[in-house]
Amino acid sequence: MRIVLFTGKGGVGKTTTASATALRLADRGVKTLLLSTDTAHSLADALDVALTGEPAEVTPGLWAAQLDTQRRFEAAWQQVQAYLADLLAHGGVDPVTADELTVLPGLEEVLALLAVRDLAGAGNWDAVVVDCAPTAETLRLLALPEALGWYLDKVFPAQRRLARGMRPIAALLGRDRAHGAIPSDSVFDALARLADDLADVRWLLADPGTTSVRLVLTPEAVVTAEARRTFTALALYGYAVDMVVANRVFPAGEDAWRQGWAAAQQRQLAAVRESFAGIAVRELPYRAAEPVGAAALREVADALYGELPGADPVPVLATGELLRVDLEGSDFVLSMPLPLAEPGAVEAARAGDDLVVTVGGSRRVLALPNALRRCAVVGGDFDGTRLQVRFRPDPEGGTAHSDE
Ligand SMILES: Nc1ncnc2c1ncn2[C@@H]1O[C@H](COP(=O)(O)OP(=O)(O)OP(=O)(O)O)[C@@H](O)[C@H]1O
Ligand SMILES: [Mg+2]
């Protein structure tokens, strides 16, 4: 079973490429489910068919659904939400506003991923293709299982004990004054169940033998910058990014306007290849019209995966660990594979929030993880396959070179 997630900035072509990929899989005889975690529900528009919350076969071998997160949302989160609403109301927030405030951003997305897990686990499909919501949202929710799990493991048992101890006191104070302030056991249980579910999702999505993420971008500076930050974050969380799709590439043209755009895009594409060295970067031309409907999407798939019927659009690519940061004393050591580099002098320098690494003539530009942006580069080492860069906390930030 394979799960492929498509993510990227708003409007870059996630829904289009996810649909094209799913269609290609189905055409090759792989039983495929195409899902959207995006509440905007544009799958139906891209495929040009009507969809519901339940998977329905839209073309031989391809099932699609637009997840109805609202329904799951109600069941899973009701107790917790009621508690939070109570708490806010207790603090003087009016009930309607309180209700609004307890809708946590990104939570619907998380619940959509729970649905992905359930459907993937049902065993009815060989591949599940997921059209995710734009970058920031997806990232937050992908990080959430670990964050929430940690929180529940470490903080909640203590809070729960505390709450148990406080309940008799609250009873003495009277219901009015203590109302809502102390969570009941059912709230803790609901949170614990949610954490378990999320850990499950996380396990499934971080398994490189099952799941990979494809970053969609358009060759523009702003979009590329965001894709690079997304890549860093995904790599840090251990998600396998196995492809970058550069969409809406202008063909070269005669007139100055077209030539200007084509040249600017080519510069961006060069930067994209530097940023994602070692990962397949596929280009999709800017088409004359919106690729809507199966015929047009099949053409997109051809451009993306080649016209050969045998070309597997979702091979399991053992990418290995893309990026890790270890703490050594007070230094951070960032290491990443540099598959295409030749051993030689390592030069690592900070440029703003990026790390620019040059090894034996190849350059790699990486958006730095947050914690490292406050550090200076104090050393670098390349053993032929892995690059290691040492960072030292530096209150002023800064740039340093290292030659070895
Ligand atoms: N290569 C292309 N050539 C021409 N039009 C394209 C191309 N790729 C996508 N489009 C069109 O661009 C629009 C946005 O694409 P799409 O809906 O796939 O992006 P998205 O990333 O899913 O957007 P959102 O973030 O809003 O969900 C659609 O109208 C789509 O048909
Ligand atoms: Mg979309």
Side-chain angles (χ1 to χ4, degrees), residues 131-260:
D131 169 25
C132 295
T135 325
E137 224 77 352
T138 317
L139 260 184
R140 242 202 325 260
L141 72 95
L142 285 179
L144 195 66
E146 257 170 21
L148 191 65
W150 180 89
Y151 189 70
L152 287 168
D153 280 357
K154 301 286 185 300
V155 180
F156 267 83
Q159 282 211 351
R160 187 172 200 156
R161 279 196 301 278
L162 197 66
R164 283 218 181 93
M166 276 176 70
R167 234 168 264 133
I169 302 171
L172 282 177
L173 285 174
R175 189 179 150 71
D176 269 1
R177 291 180 58 195
H179 180 63
I182 297 159
S184 68
D185 270 353
S186 70
V187 170
F188 287 112
D189 289 340
L191 276 172
R193 270 199 310 280
L194 189 66
D196 280 351
D197 277 347
L198 292 178
D200 242 32
V201 172
R202 155 87 198 170
W203 180 82
L204 190 69
L205 298 188
D207 171 14
T210 305
T211 306
S212 64
V213 183
R214 293 183 177 176
L215 281 177
V216 187
L217 54 82
T218 51
E220 286 137 4
V222 178
V223 179
T224 306
E226 182 163 329
R228 291 169 58 244
R229 285 192 294 271
T230 305
F231 171 78
T232 295
L234 286 172
L236 271 180
Y237 298 140
Y239 297 99
V241 177
D242 72 346
M243 186 181 288
V244 173
V245 179
N247 189 20
R248 291 216 205 94
V249 177
F250 289 116
E254 304 279 287
D255 56 295
W257 184 84
R258 270 246 292 247
Q259 280 174 355

Side-chain angles (χ1 to χ4, degrees), residues 69-128:
T69 49
Q70 200 57 42
R71 217 180 49 213
R72 305 186 131 254
F73 188 79
E74 295 302 327
W77 198 244
Q78 229 167 26
Q79 281 160 310
V80 180
Q81 199 177 18
Y83 163 66
L84 290 174
D86 247 23
L87 199 63
L88 289 169
H90 186 64
V93 180
D94 76 83
V96 177
T97 311
D99 224 53
E100 212 46 50
L101 286 172
T102 57
V103 178
L104 300 187
L107 194 71
E108 282 204 20
E109 279 281 304
V110 173
L111 296 171
L113 284 188
L114 287 182
V116 170
R117 175 207 57 179
D118 292 347
L119 289 165
N124 296 336
W125 293 279
D126 302 319
V128 179

Side-chain angles (χ1 to χ4, degrees), residues 7-19 36 38 40-43 45-46 131-135 216 218 246-249 284-292 297 300:
T7 191
K9 204 171 160 62
V12 292
K14 299 177 291 295
T15 304
T16 303
T17 46
S19 306
S36 170
D38 191 346
H41 288 338
S42 41
L43 277 187
D45 297 333
D131 169 25
C132 295
T135 325
V216 187
T218 51
N247 189 20
R248 291 216 205 94
V249 177
L284 275 181
Y286 208 134
R287 299 170 57 90
E290 287 181 291
V292 169
L297 290 174
V300 171

